Amino acid sequence: LLILTLNHFVVDGVSWRILFDDLKALTNDITIPLPERTMPLVAWANLLAQSGRLGNRRGEESLWLSQFTNISPLPQDLTINDNDNKSKHVKTISGRLSTTQTEAIFRAQSTYQNEINELLLAALGLSFRKWSTDQFQQQTSDFVISLEGHGRETDVDLTRTVGWLTSMFPVKLEVRDLDPTDLNSAGIALRRIKDRLRALPDKGLGYGILRHLDPHSQLSQCPPVTPQVVFNYLGKLEKN
């Protein structure tokens, strides 16, 4: 019996799959050679830090600054102060799509040639728009969220690197001029989020470098803007 426990602080979801595949292979044959590891986590961290010191991502600054223009915060029933913003006050709300709804999403992906997360983000933006109007009677500007990614979308081979490489970066949902009740709005929102996401080099990796590792970038010197919502699409997980 083998019990393996690792905290999420040291591994991400991709790392779990690497470890599981290796353990499965060794369970079948303890003598089997495992595939070679790719760049070690420490070497990757040093490479990111060097990229920041050299200012290699400065060309992306205007792209990232544009995520914060003409945006509105999500409306709230009350103001939350730091004393109340603690884990003991957290409430979890969960929901589940039916099989029919899930299949419809995958059909839409094929029809519109979009990625699943693009479809979900377009729907999220329109939902925010409708909710803020219906619930709070507020005509808002665009919204900005934090989007999580694998942090491995780069020319460097990280396919067998174990660690927590997750990236997080802001993305503006451009919905201020869209009517959620108009069916045409869905196509417009989808096209906008598709164009916005695909304009981000390396799936958003540069934002963290500019924000935290480049002391001379505009992003590192601006007051921090923390989006109220974090979006994380984990991917399609098969039952087997």
Side-chain angles (χ1 to χ4, degrees):
L1 175 63
L2 172 65
I3 298 177
L4 180 63
T5 303
L6 294 172
N7 194 290
H8 194 15
F9 280 119
V10 295
V11 290
D12 54 18
V14 176
S15 297
W16 270 120
R17 289 195 284 271
I18 297 169
L19 294 172
F20 284 150
D21 287 345
D22 286 356
L23 287 171
K24 183 178 180 181
L26 292 173
T27 300
N28 294 329
D29 183 357
I30 192 66
T31 64
I32 190 172
L34 296 176
E36 291 292 327
R37 73 174 183 177
T38 51
M39 178 177 282
L41 183 63
V42 171
W44 174 237
N46 290 335
L47 188 63
L48 293 177
Q50 181 185 48
S51 180
R53 289 194 302 270
L54 296 177
N56 292 341
R57 296 280 179 163
R58 299 270 177 83
E60 301 176 22
E61 281 192 305
S62 61
L63 184 65
W64 292 116
L65 292 170
S66 71
Q67 308 296 330
F68 299 107
T69 58
N70 300 318
I71 60 172
S72 296
L74 290 170
Q76 298 175 201
D77 289 312
L78 49 85
T79 301
I80 302 174
N81 60 52
D82 291 339
N83 291 329
D84 294 328
N85 191 18
K86 297 180 179 178
S87 58
K88 67 180 180 180
H89 298 124
V90 168
K91 291 185 178 180
T92 300
I93 300 175
S94 61
R96 177 177 296 185
L97 298 179
S98 67
T99 301
T100 301
Q101 291 169 323
T102 303
E103 290 173 346
I105 291 176
F106 287 119
R107 286 197 303 271
Q109 178 191 24
S110 176
T111 300
Y112 294 105
Q113 299 299 304
N114 283 85
E115 297 181 3
I116 293 294
N117 66 321
E118 293 168 348
L119 288 162
L120 297 176
L121 285 169
L124 180 65
L126 291 174
S127 297
F128 282 159
R129 182 84 166 92
K130 187 175 188 305
W131 170 74
S132 61
T133 302
D134 293 351
Q135 192 81 4
F136 296 91
Q137 291 75 52
Q138 289 190 16
Q139 297 296 323
T140 57
S141 297
D142 296 325
F143 303 105
V144 64
I145 65 165
S146 284
L147 186 61
E148 282 197 29
H150 290 316
R152 298 170 184 258
E153 295 87 350
T154 172
D155 293 336
V156 177
D157 186 3
L158 301 170
T159 53
R160 285 187 51 79
T161 301
V162 174
W164 191 2
L165 282 72
T166 302
S167 59
M168 186 176 292
F169 49 92
V171 173
K172 181 163 69 173
L173 305 179
E174 300 171 277
V175 294
R176 66 182 182 278
D177 58 341
L178 300 182
D179 179 0
T181 63
D182 184 351
L183 292 178
N184 293 323
S185 293
I188 297 172
L190 186 54
R191 184 170 62 252
R192 288 176 178 176
I193 191 64
K194 174 182 177 179
D195 292 344
R196 184 165 286 273
L197 288 182
R198 299 188 185 190
L200 303 179
D202 296 331
K203 296 290 184 70
L205 187 66
Y207 176 78
I209 295 174
L210 287 166
R211 181 72 194 165
H212 304 289
L213 299 176
D214 184 347
H216 302 296
S217 73
Q218 294 182 59
L219 281 171
S220 68
Q221 299 171 26
C222 291
V225 177
T226 304
Q228 297 159 282
V229 173
V230 176
F231 180 94
N232 185 14
Y233 175 64
L234 296 176
K236 185 179 179 182
L237 304 178
E238 302 290 350
K239 184 176 291 186
N240 60 356

